[in-house]
Amino acid sequence: MDLLNTLVDKGLRRELPTREEALAVLATSDDELLDVVSAAGKVRRQWFGRRVKLNYLVNLKSGLCPEDCSYCSQRLGSTAGILKYTWLKPDEASQAAAAGVAGGAKRVCLVASGRGPTDRDVDRVSQTIEAIKEQNEGIEVCACLGLLSAGQADKLRTAGADAYNHNLNTSEGTYGEITTTHTYADRVDTVQQAQAAGLSACSGLIAGMGETDEDLVDVVYALRDLDPDSVPVNFLIPFEGTPLAKEWNLTPQRCLRILAMVRFVCPDVEVRIAGGREVHLRTMQPLALHLANSIFLGDYLTSEGQAGKTDLEMIADAGFEVEGAGTVTLPEHRADAIAAAGCGSHAESGGGCGSHGGGGCGPCGSSAQSEPSEPSVAAETTAASETSEARTDLVAVRRRGAGTDLAPNA
């Protein structure tokens, strides 16, 4: 297939595909799916071998968010029966993080719901970062606290944070249909603040909210321009009690095509399969490892994932290996650029994608819309051709780990 040969060649050279080529990947048929996975897998192996980086989420503050992000179970007005609690103490958060590290996680992601942190919140998170770093040598810490104010990224960096997550989530053109309490530009600004402070930027998307193929390509190309080191790909978890509870637009095949498109556009970036992989990829999860080089271990923010032990068995059975703490995740050319800059951002200009959301509540498993506007004809066409049967049985609210007295899943 000429398209795939071209995309492999471009990916091995870190050359940007055309928008038409990216759209063509999303338009491939199920009969071509294994060819697509094989082609994108060549690009993944070129830059990351058969390594899989494990990340572990700690939800520092659950629910109680004033933002109206439509995908989120922690949003204002959500009636989803999720855990709700205020800030974990630094020792509680460190203990929760230790479970993930013991399970093989290389990065701990500290997330808090809300529009953004106060300076007092940043001090609190800084103490948590320091506690985790003292007890776990070589472990990376990523913070996800929502929109940052001036100077807050610098404080987190000084405390030892390695990265900051803030997802773009969807295209700029449709962002106002998903969230009204902050803007797409606010999100871009926060990612850029993190980069300017020397934090490795982590920013990704959520698929399955009724968007068109064009929307997906728009947000992935915007991410490439923004140049994060890590791009998490979330698949909407349609929680009951949220505006998007009826949005079951994804099939395992479409999820794989989306991951392949992200890999072709961002060939040398850490592509992470985030929230919703168990719900939408289901038994096809091992195939996704040929496209992404990073996953979350165990549970997400407000939803349960598959058993951590099952994650590890899946990686081994598929012929991959867990990336060790002493291994540099990014390819040498990106790692060298980071070292030269003295920080984790701006890897190289134009060479690759650069390489979770609003309030801290958007990323990786909290998925849940103020009421969305009527979908476009293109969106209806996409949904009609791809819609999966609702699998509400696979959406389980997290009842263990952080904020509970039960052992975490790691």
Side-chain angles (χ1 to χ4, degrees):
M1 189 175 181
D2 289 343
L3 168 67
L4 296 179
N5 290 333
T6 297
L7 288 169
V8 170
D9 288 343
K10 288 186 174 183
L12 299 182
R13 298 195 304 266
R14 295 181 288 130
E15 182 181 331
L16 182 66
T18 66
R19 288 180 55 85
E20 290 72 22
E21 289 167 341
L23 286 166
V25 173
L26 297 178
T28 54
S29 69
D30 287 351
D31 287 342
E32 300 166 308
L33 183 62
L34 288 180
D35 294 328
V36 172
V37 172
S38 177
K42 292 177 182 178
V43 178
R44 180 250 201 267
R45 289 193 300 276
Q46 165 74 16
W47 302 114
F48 299 96
R50 301 190 73 84
R51 294 177 284 114
V52 178
K53 182 176 181 177
L54 297 182
N55 308 267
Y56 189 70
L57 284 163
V58 178
N59 200 358
L60 297 177
K61 181 167 77 79
S62 183
L64 314 173
C65 185
E67 301 297 287
D68 69 356
C69 306
S70 303
Y71 47 79
C72 186
S73 62
Q74 304 185 78
R75 72 187 293 273
L76 179 69
S78 169
T79 59
I82 62 169
L83 292 169
K84 295 180 181 180
Y85 53 86
T86 191
W87 290 93
L88 297 181
K89 296 177 181 178
D91 61 330
E92 294 172 323
S94 181
Q95 184 176 359
V101 174
K106 180 176 178 177
R107 173 176 286 192
V108 173
C109 303
L110 303 176
V111 187
S113 62
R115 178 178 178 84
T118 64
D119 288 342
R120 182 183 177 187
D121 294 335
V122 171
D123 291 340
R124 188 194 327 258
V125 175
S126 294
Q127 294 174 32
T128 299
I129 294 169
E130 291 167 356
I132 292 172
K133 291 277 190 171
E134 286 175 4
Q135 297 176 24
N136 302 281
E137 184 178 355
I139 291 302
E140 300 172 6
V141 176
C142 178
C144 176
L145 311 175
L147 301 173
L148 293 173
S149 300
Q152 291 182 329
D154 294 293
K155 290 181 180 179
L156 291 168
R157 178 64 171 161
T158 298
D162 300 285
Y164 195 83
N165 163 257
H166 203 61
N167 290 335
L168 297 187
N169 289 329
T170 192
S171 68
E172 182 175 13
T174 59
Y175 194 83
E177 300 171 14
I178 302 299
T179 303
T180 67
T181 48
H182 60 268
T183 67
Y184 181 91
D186 291 333
R187 287 185 175 273
V188 171
D189 178 68
T190 285
V191 176
Q192 291 174 334
Q193 285 193 54
Q195 290 174 321
L199 292 167
S200 176
C202 173
S203 188
L205 65 143
I206 304 173
M209 298 190 289
E211 69 281 340
T212 65
D213 286 357
E214 288 77 8
D215 289 323
L216 286 170
V217 170
D218 282 348
V219 68
V220 175
Y221 274 70
L223 286 165
R224 174 162 173 139
D225 288 342
L226 193 56
D227 199 24
D229 297 312
S230 175
V231 174
V233 180
N234 294 275
F235 301 110
L236 177 74
I237 302 177
F239 273 96
E240 291 296 329
T242 63
L244 291 186
K246 306 302 181 185
E247 293 288 331
W248 289 85
N249 302 317
L250 298 171
T251 64
Q253 294 84 358
R254 179 158 176 80
C255 291
L256 290 170
R257 282 189 279 267
I258 291 169
L259 287 167
M261 185 269 287
V262 174
R263 175 56 73 198
F264 286 130
V265 177
C266 307
D268 58 344
V269 68
E270 177 191 339
V271 176
R272 183 182 311 150
I273 319 171
R277 70 175 160 93
E278 296 90 343
V279 177
H280 296 293
L281 281 162
R282 302 191 287 274
T283 58
M284 302 284 270
Q285 290 180 67
L287 274 181
L289 296 177
H290 292 270
L291 308 169
N293 61 295
S294 182
I295 66 169
F296 279 99
L297 177 72
D299 293 337
Y300 302 95
L301 297 178
T302 62
S303 64
E304 290 187 355
Q306 68 185 18
K309 181 174 181 289
T310 302
D311 287 336
L312 297 175
E313 290 174 345
M314 176 182 72
I315 291 168
D317 288 348
F320 292 86
E321 60 184 21
V322 173
E323 182 175 292
T327 303
V328 177
T329 299
L330 296 174
E332 185 176 358
H333 63 276
R334 296 190 62 82
D336 287 347
I338 289 171
C343 67
S345 62
H346 300 98
E348 80 266 6
S349 175
C353 186
S355 43
H356 136 34
C361 64
C364 310
S366 58
S367 311
Q369 214 173 107
S370 5
E371 295 299 332
S373 61
E374 290 297 316
S376 66
V377 172
E380 291 177 334
T381 301
T382 297
S385 63
E386 293 282 358
T387 299
S388 177
E389 180 182 351
R391 289 296 306 272
T392 56
D393 58 307
L394 295 177
V395 180
V397 172
R398 180 176 68 83
R399 301 294 183 198
R400 58 198 175 192
T404 78
D405 295 326
L406 299 178
N409 171 27

